[in-house]
Amino acid sequence: MSESGRSGLTYAQAGVDIDAGNRMVELIKPLVRATARPGADAEIGGFGGLFDLKRAGFRDPVLVAATDGVGTKLKIAIETGRHDTIGIDLVAMSVNDLVVQGAEPLFFLDYFACGRLDPETGARVVSGIAEGCRQARCALIGGETAEMPGLYAEGDYDLAGFAVGAAERDGLLPRRDIAAGDVILGLAASGVHSNGYSLVREVVARAGLGWEAPAPFRPDASLGAALLAPTRIYVAACLAAIRETGAVKALAHITGGGFPDNIPRVLPEGLRARIDLSRVPVPPVFRWLARAGEIVEAEMLRTFNCGIGMVVVTAEDKADAVAAVLAANGETVARLGRLEAAAAGAPRVAYDGALDLAP
């Protein structure tokens, strides 16, 4: 106490509670330990996370890294108080990007930023991150919790994720033997995943619906709960198909930009994808969004996954074998089309048929 009898200003009085941060660390330690895998013991508390690449069993590895967030889907989690699955989305957005390179996810780190830390809310978010890591079979080896009063509104938080994987040098995707006639397979999405939520929220606002109202496309759930269905993690199935068949030539994660922006990223010049849209298994949520928002098909295709979260390219004579392995690992597989030669300047994705957007 100073001579005037006053206590000095503390960090907690300025809005940052170190004790809350320490409590959150204790709450999440068992969640993190549950993600241990060969190469990482998944212990936290040090200044950096460790991973032993040799223990992971690679012969001639190339590291692959990815980072992402979950966009404004966070607003729905925050406004509904449903924080348990948004961490799965965070992991999914990065690890699905790793596997398209042919890489096995090895470890993940998260960044959680907020205005005032609620350790219980933070722990619920991390429980989802840990679950996503378990699904992707990667270790959660570290992260950062940042309490920044004045930068975030009361109750708000933000998330970012960072994943590192590895592939054998001779197993990187896309392969160089991609050719006209190769088959395009699509893996069903679990819903909207984590792209296009600014448009989703605008449709919900125009429809005048609250988050606790029954979902128009799924009456057994509230609208908020239905729209928070977590992004599907395709890692285990895709790695199985790569390793068991040796026939996967390319993978494309269908995120923001949909088919027209994401499929061309893995195709060589001179080829384009021709997709039969009538074969896309369109979930009810997209039919509702298109109808309630009066969104035309072209905008749906460029904003949303429309029911396909991952695309697989393989040779015609290997397509059935690849599809069988994917299905055996829990995926719903649709044969969407094939690759064809394309003139310079032609659209890189061409369509036949139409999406089934009828109510």
Side-chain angles (χ1 to χ4, degrees):
M1 185 173 288
S2 66
E3 292 181 3
S4 62
R6 297 179 183 175
S7 298
L9 187 62
T10 67
Y11 206 8
Q13 289 171 327
V16 178
D17 189 342
I18 293 175
D19 291 335
N22 291 336
R23 171 170 166 71
M24 180 173 161
V25 169
E26 292 306 309
L27 289 172
I28 67 176
K29 277 185 176 179
L31 303 173
V32 173
R33 289 191 189 107
T35 71
R37 55 150 291 158
D41 58 13
E43 289 290 339
I44 58 172
F47 287 96
L50 303 178
F51 191 92
D52 184 343
L53 195 57
K54 185 176 181 179
R55 282 183 55 207
F58 286 89
R59 169 179 46 83
D60 184 21
V62 174
L63 293 179
V64 183
T67 183
D68 211 335
V70 294
T72 60
K73 189 174 187 177
L74 270 178
K75 291 292 291 181
I76 302 177
I78 292 166
E79 290 171 7
T80 62
R82 299 173 183 269
H83 307 287
D84 301 284
T85 61
I86 201 71
I88 299 175
D89 293 287
L90 184 68
V91 175
M93 294 305 289
S94 286
V95 297
N96 284 341
D97 281 353
L98 291 186
V99 78
V100 302
Q101 308 281 161
E104 173 188 338
L106 301 177
F107 59 86
F108 189 86
L109 299 98
D110 69 276
Y111 176 77
F112 178 97
C114 59
R116 183 181 64 82
L117 180 61
D118 177 348
E120 283 69 26
T121 295
R124 289 170 64 190
V125 172
V126 175
S127 73
I129 295 172
E131 172 58 26
C133 287
R134 285 192 292 271
Q135 290 183 25
R137 303 174 186 175
C138 66
L140 178 58
I141 66 170
E144 168 68 6
T145 301
E147 194 172 17
M148 296 183 282
L151 188 59
Y152 292 92
E154 181 71 21
D156 277 355
Y157 61 85
D158 197 10
L159 292 174
F162 313 88
V164 173
E168 297 292 358
R169 194 176 305 273
D170 57 6
L172 288 167
L173 297 179
R175 283 173 21 183
R176 294 182 180 180
D177 60 343
I178 298 173
D182 284 346
V183 169
I184 302 168
L185 304 175
L187 307 187
S190 55
V192 184
H193 285 186
S194 298
N195 295 101
Y197 273 83
S198 293
L199 181 54
V200 170
R201 290 166 52 246
E202 181 65 21
V203 172
V204 170
R206 292 191 180 193
L209 295 173
W211 297 125
E212 296 308 314
F217 51 90
R218 187 184 158 190
D220 64 325
S222 70
L223 180 57
L227 288 174
L228 284 171
T231 304
R232 188 164 183 81
I233 293 176
Y234 298 99
V235 169
C238 287
L239 287 178
I242 291 168
R243 293 166 177 172
E244 293 178 29
T245 70
V248 174
K249 294 187 176 185
L251 298 165
H253 185 198
I254 307 304
T255 55
F259 289 158
D261 284 2
N262 287 292
I263 296 177
R265 296 169 68 180
V266 300
L267 300 182
E269 291 297 324
L271 290 180
R272 71 176 178 181
R274 179 166 289 279
I275 293 176
D276 183 349
L277 292 177
S278 68
R279 297 185 179 184
V280 174
V282 181
V285 60
F286 294 113
R287 297 193 186 103
W288 176 75
L289 287 167
R291 183 175 71 255
E294 299 181 325
I295 306 170
V296 299
E297 183 182 78
E299 186 67 16
M300 292 291 295
L301 285 166
R302 197 167 186 202
T303 303
F304 301 115
N305 67 62
C306 293
I308 295 294
M310 184 72 76
V311 158
V312 184
V313 176
T314 185
E316 169 71 43
D317 63 347
K318 302 292 185 182
D320 288 344
V322 171
V325 173
L326 291 166
N329 283 271
E331 300 302 333
T332 300
V333 186
R335 187 178 287 225
L336 300 179
R338 63 184 61 247
L339 301 185
E340 63 182 19
R348 302 299 304 281
V349 180
Y351 302 111
D352 296 317
L355 290 175
D356 180 10
L357 295 175

